[in-house]
Each structure stands twice: as C-alpha cells, then as structure tokens.
C-alpha cells in the first residue's frame, strides 16, 4: 500500500499501453505520474509507455504535447534529465481504438519489443466509458489479454464503472471473461489520496480513538467534498452522471467504508476489501418514507465564484437547457450494524460551491457536566480529517478562555501534514500506477464493492429520474440548496464546513 523502494525492482520490465493516450487524463495525470515515479527512482527503468491516440501526428508531436502538460503540472519545474529518461521510454501509435487494424498494429509492435511474451503488460483504458467493453473485446479477439510467455496482463479501468447496477454487471461480466479479477484494477482515484490511507492508521494505530469509534460516543459523521468548478467541458458525460453517480457512488462511499469498517484481520488487500464491502452491504436509508426526506439534490443556477460571474448549469456546453441532472447531492444514510446503529452519516458533494475542499468530520456526543450546560453550550468535540487541499487532521476540544472566569472556547490540536517542510505527498495517480505495477489491489475497488454501491445508489437515482427536480435551486457560489441545511437542522445538527 505504501510507496517502498524495496518493492520496486519486481516486475519492472513492463509495457504500459494507454488507450486515450492523447487525452486529458494521460496528459494531466498519467505521464506526470510516470515522471514522478522515475524521479523518485520508483518505477525501475526497464519499461515503455505506449500512447494510442489520434490527436498527435507522430511521436515527436506527441512528446512535445506531453512536455507542455508536464510543464503545466509541475509549474514549469521539469527536470530535464528526468524528462530525457522518460521520453526515451515513451512511444506513440497514431490509431483509432475503434478499428481492428489498431490491435493488429499494436500486436506487431509489442511482438517486436517482446517476442517471447516475457514482459508484463498493463492496458490502461483512459477513454470514455462507452468504449470500455469494445476495447476489452478487441484485446480478447487479438489475443492481447493473455500471455504466451510468463509475463502478466493487467487491465486498468477508469470510472464510471457502469451507469447503474445493470450496466455495471454487464460490463463486469464482459471484462471478467477476458481478465481475471486479480488482474482488473478499477480506479477510484480518491483511494490514492494520502489522507484516505491515513484513515486506517488514525483509527487502528491509536488507542485513543478506537474505543470511542462507535454509536456510544459518536453523534454523527460528515463526509464533505465540494468544488467551485462547474462541469468544464464534460457536459456530455455529466448530463448522464450527475453528482450522485459522479462522486457519491464511488469516492464518497469509499471514504465512508474506510471510516465505518471493522478492523481487518490483517492489513492485507483481501481483508481490507472484505470489511469495506460489509459496510456497503449494511447501508440503509436515513429515514423511512420518500427518498426526498433523506436525499437532497440540487442544480446550480448562475451566480458568482470568487467575484466572477458564472453561468448556470443549464447554460453549460452540451447540457440540455431543461436538464434534470443533479450537480449537488446531500444524503443522510445509516450503517445498519452493531457499531453504528443510529449514527447518521451525512454526505455532501457539489459543484459551484464556494471552496475546493474534502474532509471528514467525526462529531462526538455532547454529554457535558450539567454545570456547563447553563448558558452557551460548549461545542462538541470534533475529529476532522482533512483530505484536500490541506492534508492533515485536527481535534477540536473545549478549554477555558484564558483570563475569563469560566468562559469556554473551542481549541484545536492540529496536524497539518502538507505544511511539514520536505513532506510532499505523492499525487494519487502516482501511487495508483505504482501499485498496479507492483500488483497491489488494495487501492482499487473490487467488483462486489462496486455492486453494492450501485444497489444503494440506484434506489435514489430511480426516484430522481421519475420525479423531476425543481431546478435550478441554488446559486453558483452559495452553500447549496436550503434543504441540505434543513436535513441536519431538523435534527438539531449542523454541517461543520
Ligand atoms: C472525478 C469527478 O472523479 O473527481 C469530477 O468525475 C470531480 O467531477 C473529481 O471534479 C474531483 O476529484 P479531485 O481529486 O479533484 O477532488
């Protein structure tokens, strides 16, 4: 799970084939990840990256465009010696992945550099989700998914994995006919974030927290991930997804399962995944009755972000002007097991909200000495796990205001991880790619996790499809629809963001 130099030299003779090699993900995330791995001496040197795409005419043009994005990703600080090493290992095939010829060419190409099939291969699908099964079909048809020698073949597949339970099942059936589950890496890039991995350490390496990590001491848990951006140029995809499917089904549920899971028998991939999936199986609605009483949706209208006017969702490029798509979702869900019975988990995510921030707030119960319940009640204790942009964790507790008679004020014990000099967390994709190379699946979602997440999300999505939203219902730059505040206020609670 952690980046370790000692693990590295394993499996370092590999070919990394990117379908969608000229796309945004390859430029912004995958190539910078390889650059960083090389820079940290974590990838070995015996590998090649083969981009398949159509936008660049030839290898030279491809390398130039990768270099420009690298400059952008590293704010102009590209180390020329590292880039020189990387570019020698990057090749380009100008081709359309929808055409059979592409796979013939790829096969010839790979046979030329590795005729005995001894090298390992990673096929990375950085393409629109409707092409996932087509590419897997072709890899199968051209016998690229199995090895004639001793090299392994792995498939890395971006999200979204299906758009509902049925489509996810179909996709899974197809890809598992070609690749075995231990060779399938379903990306949820949030799992590559430093603080998500820290959750298990915070929980299980501190005597302080584990005894009170349950419904006797915890009042509620809040998982919040907001961003000021709109849908940018992804209108076509987002129209079919919306906040619920784009963020909650995957990233937010993964965070929830790490916060709520039981201690795994061992800190091993299977044990951790087994415990996470139990949580996804135990999710239930936050309230009896209609979905509207525990799942709030929103869509942004026009407004202002950091002083700049922005357009409404319905006016975005490739968005229907009467769209029913949610750009905001706030849920109250329960984990129906002994540890969590009765503790609400509130989830909130949305676009065009004031800040880019992801955090988890554990609010403890407010059982104070009666003497402190007169007048202003003290604030509850909070444990806040800051995922981004700041990484760290703080504990809020109460103290006497210095100099006052008995005034109580909340104070913080704060650990800011990325404020520490010299500590530079690896980017999520860097860690994820590294783990694919090592064959560690811990930070990837297993099929049953995807399945149970969809089971739950489908209930909400079906209801939202059948009952149109009253949109737009929040201004860009605001904190979201009023109903999301009410979801907590009705129960005497508040969001802590
Ligand atoms: C992606 C979603 O999975 O995550 C995007 O498709 C969202 O809509 C993004 O903006 C957020 O990721 P991060 O790492 O910037 O928080």
């Amino acid at each position: 799970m952690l980046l370790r130099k000692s693990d590295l030299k394993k499996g370092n003779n590999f070919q990394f084939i990117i379908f969608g090699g000229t796309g945004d993900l390859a430029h912004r995330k995958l190539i910078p990840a390889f650059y960083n791995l090389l820079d940290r001496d974590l990838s070995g040197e015996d590998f090649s990256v083969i981009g398949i795409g159509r936008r660049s005419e030839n290898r030279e043009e491809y390398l130039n465009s990768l270099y420009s994005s690298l400059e952008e990703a590293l704010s102009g600080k590209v180390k020329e010696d590292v880039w020189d090493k990387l570019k020698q290992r990057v090749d380009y095939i100008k081709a359309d992945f929808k055409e059979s010829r592409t796979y013939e060419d790829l096969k010839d190409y790979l046979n030329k550099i590795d005729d005995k099939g001894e090298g390992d291969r990673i096929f990375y699908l950085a393409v629109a989700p409707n092409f996932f099964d087509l590419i897997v079909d072709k890899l199968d048809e051209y016998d690229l998914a199995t090895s004639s020698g001793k090299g392994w073949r792995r498939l890395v597949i971006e999200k979204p994995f299906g758009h509902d339970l049925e489509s996810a099942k179909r996709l899974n059936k197809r890809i598992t006919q070609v690749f075995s589950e231990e060779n399938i890496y379903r990306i949820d890039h949030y799992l590559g974030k430093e603080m998500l991995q820290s959750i298990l350490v915070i929980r299980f390496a501190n005597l302080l927290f584990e005894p009170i990590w349950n419904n006797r001491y915890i009042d509620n848990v809040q998982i919040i991930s907001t961003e000021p951006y709109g849908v940018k140029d992804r209108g076509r995809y987002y129209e079919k997804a919306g906040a619920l499917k784009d963020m909650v089904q995957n990233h937010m549920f993964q965070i929830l399962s790490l916060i709520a899971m039981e201690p795994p028998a061992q800190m091993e991939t299977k044990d951790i995944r087994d415990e996470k999936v139990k949580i996804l199986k135990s999710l239930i609605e936050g309230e009896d009755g209609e979905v509207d009483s525990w799942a709030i949706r929103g869509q942004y209208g026009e407004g202002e972000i950091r002083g700049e006017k922005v357009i409404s969702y319905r006016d975005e490029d490739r968005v229907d002007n009467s769209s029913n798509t949610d750009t905001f979702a706030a849920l109250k869900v329960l984990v129906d097991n002994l540890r969590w019975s009765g503790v609400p988990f509130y989830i909130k995510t949305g676009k065009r909200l004031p800040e880019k921030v992801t955090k988890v707030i554990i609010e403890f119960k407010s059982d104070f000495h009666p003497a402190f319940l007169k007048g202003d009640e003290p604030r509850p204790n909070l444990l806040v796990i800051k995922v981004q942009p700041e990484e760290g964790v703080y504990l809020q507790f109460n103290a006497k205001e210095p100099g006052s008679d008995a005034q109580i004020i909340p104070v913080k014990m704060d650990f800011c991880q990325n404020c520490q000099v010299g500590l530079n967390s690896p980017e999520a994709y860097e860690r994820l790619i590294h783990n694919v190379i090592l064959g560690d699946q811990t930070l990837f979602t297993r099929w049953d996790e995807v399945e149970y997440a969809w089971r739950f999300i489908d209930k909400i999505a079906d209801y939202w499809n059948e009952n149109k939203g009253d949109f737009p219902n929040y201004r860009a730059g605001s904190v979201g629809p009023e109903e999301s505040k009410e979801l907590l206020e009705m129960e005497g609670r508040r969001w802590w963001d």
Side-chain angles (χ1 to χ4, degrees), residues 109-169:
Y109 177 93
L110 291 171
N111 283 342
K112 251 185 238 149
I113 55 176
D114 173 32
D115 58 342
K116 298 199 189 84
E118 285 180 351
D120 303 319
R121 285 178 200 162
I122 298 166
F123 297 101
Y124 199 111
L125 309 193
V127 299
N130 47 324
F131 296 117
F132 290 164
D133 42 8
L134 179 140
I135 295 176
V136 171
D137 278 348
K138 295 284 181 201
L139 291 175
D140 187 24
E141 189 183 331
Y142 287 87
D143 216 12
L144 283 157
T146 45
S147 169
S148 51
K150 49 183 183 166
W152 43 251
R153 306 287 178 255
R154 294 184 181 143
L155 178 75
V156 188
I157 192 156
E158 272 291 329
K159 68 168 267 273
F161 197 89
H163 51 85
D164 58 11
L165 180 59
E166 280 318 305
S167 57
K169 274 187 183 165

Side-chain angles (χ1 to χ4, degrees), residues 159 189-190 193 225 227 229 234 237-238 246-247 250-251 351 356 358 388:
K159 68 168 267 273
H189 79 279
Y190 267 52
K193 293 189 192 278
S225 189
E227 48 190 5
Y229 322 114
R234 297 165 73 219
Y237 151 75
Y238 202 82
D246 185 49
M247 291 292 290
N250 36 71
H251 310 322
K351 293 202 182 284
K356 173 80 186 159
T358 302
Q388 61 184 14

Side-chain angles (χ1 to χ4, degrees), residues 222 346 485-495:
Q222 302 182 10
Y346 298 108
K485 266 168 74 190
E486 288 161 13
L487 183 70
L488 277 74
E489 281 173 2
M490 274 178 340
E491 303 176 332
R493 300 188 173 104
R494 52 166 289 192
W495 292 105

Side-chain angles (χ1 to χ4, degrees), residues 93-369:
I93 301 181
K94 179 171 165 43
D96 183 344
F97 59 76
K98 295 191 266 334
E99 285 175 11
S100 298
R101 238 191 39 220
T102 302
Y103 300 82
E104 280 168 35
D105 291 351
L106 178 63
K107 193 168 181 172
D108 288 348
Y109 177 93
L110 291 171
N111 283 342
K112 251 185 238 149
I113 55 176
D114 173 32
D115 58 342
K116 298 199 189 84
E118 285 180 351
D120 303 319
R121 285 178 200 162
I122 298 166
F123 297 101
Y124 199 111
L125 309 193
V127 299
N130 47 324
F131 296 117
F132 290 164
D133 42 8
L134 179 140
I135 295 176
V136 171
D137 278 348
K138 295 284 181 201
L139 291 175
D140 187 24
E141 189 183 331
Y142 287 87
D143 216 12
L144 283 157
T146 45
S147 169
S148 51
K150 49 183 183 166
W152 43 251
R153 306 287 178 255
R154 294 184 181 143
L155 178 75
V156 188
I157 192 156
E158 272 291 329
K159 68 168 267 273
F161 197 89
H163 51 85
D164 58 11
L165 180 59
E166 280 318 305
S167 57
K169 274 187 183 165
R170 273 198 306 278
L171 175 61
N172 197 54
K173 190 168 170 204
R174 184 59 193 128
I175 65 173
T176 50
Q177 282 162 352
V178 182
F179 291 89
S180 58
E181 179 68 35
E182 65 269 19
N183 284 316
I184 300 172
Y185 291 72
R186 296 179 194 82
I187 293 256
D188 184 316
H189 79 279
Y190 267 52
L191 288 176
K193 293 189 192 278
E194 187 74 14
M195 288 311 293
L196 260 70
Q197 290 152 60
S198 233
I199 291 176
L200 296 191
V201 180
I202 293 167
R203 288 194 51 194
F204 302 126
N206 289 300
L207 180 63
L208 201 59
F209 300 126
E210 184 49 22
I212 55 173
W213 208 262
N214 55 51
N215 58 3
R216 266 169 291 149
Y217 297 95
I218 292 179
D219 179 82
N220 72 87
V221 176
Q222 302 182 10
I223 303 169
I224 300 173
S225 189
T226 62
E227 48 190 5
Y229 322 114
V231 282
K232 301 183 178 160
D233 53 0
R234 297 165 73 219
R236 192 183 346 194
Y237 151 75
Y238 202 82
E239 271 289 85
K240 292 205 200 94
L244 184 71
K245 295 182 180 183
D246 185 49
M247 291 292 290
V248 182
Q249 187 270 345
N250 36 71
H251 310 322
M252 308 298 275
F253 275 5
Q254 284 294 325
I255 300 180
L256 189 153
S257 59
L258 288 167
I259 293 287
M261 67 187 248
E262 292 301 315
Q266 305 284 332
M267 285 294 163
E268 301 289 345
T269 308
K270 179 175 181 309
D271 295 345
I272 295 174
R273 288 167 142 193
D274 284 350
E275 294 306 333
K276 278 165 64 197
V277 81
K278 283 185 203 159
I279 295 301
L280 297 169
K281 270 187 196 175
S282 316
L283 284 185
I284 56 169
E285 293 86 333
E287 300 283 341
D288 296 337
E290 293 293 17
V291 168
D292 286 336
S293 58
W294 56 274
I296 310 299
R297 59 186 150 162
Q299 187 192 82
Y300 61 83
E302 58 182 20
E304 264 186 30
I305 297 274
R306 294 183 191 134
E308 276 191 26
K309 280 202 171 16
V310 295
I311 56 174
S312 71
Y313 176 70
R314 288 178 175 180
D315 288 327
E316 300 274 11
D317 193 24
R318 300 190 190 193
V319 168
D320 188 308
N321 59 14
S322 57
S323 171
N324 187 45
T325 299
D326 48 298
T327 60
F328 174 100
L331 315 184
K332 173 187 173 189
V333 298
L334 298 168
V335 177
D336 194 18
N337 67 14
L338 197 59
R339 184 189 288 262
W340 294 112
S341 173
V343 178
F345 283 73
Y346 298 108
I347 292 174
K348 175 159 82 171
T349 185
K351 293 202 182 284
R352 289 289 189 221
L353 299 176
E355 265 188 291
K356 173 80 186 159
V357 64
T358 302
K359 57 182 166 183
V360 181
I361 299 117
I362 316 287
E363 178 177 340
F364 291 92
K365 292 197 167 161
S366 298
D367 294 340
F368 306 119
H369 189 291

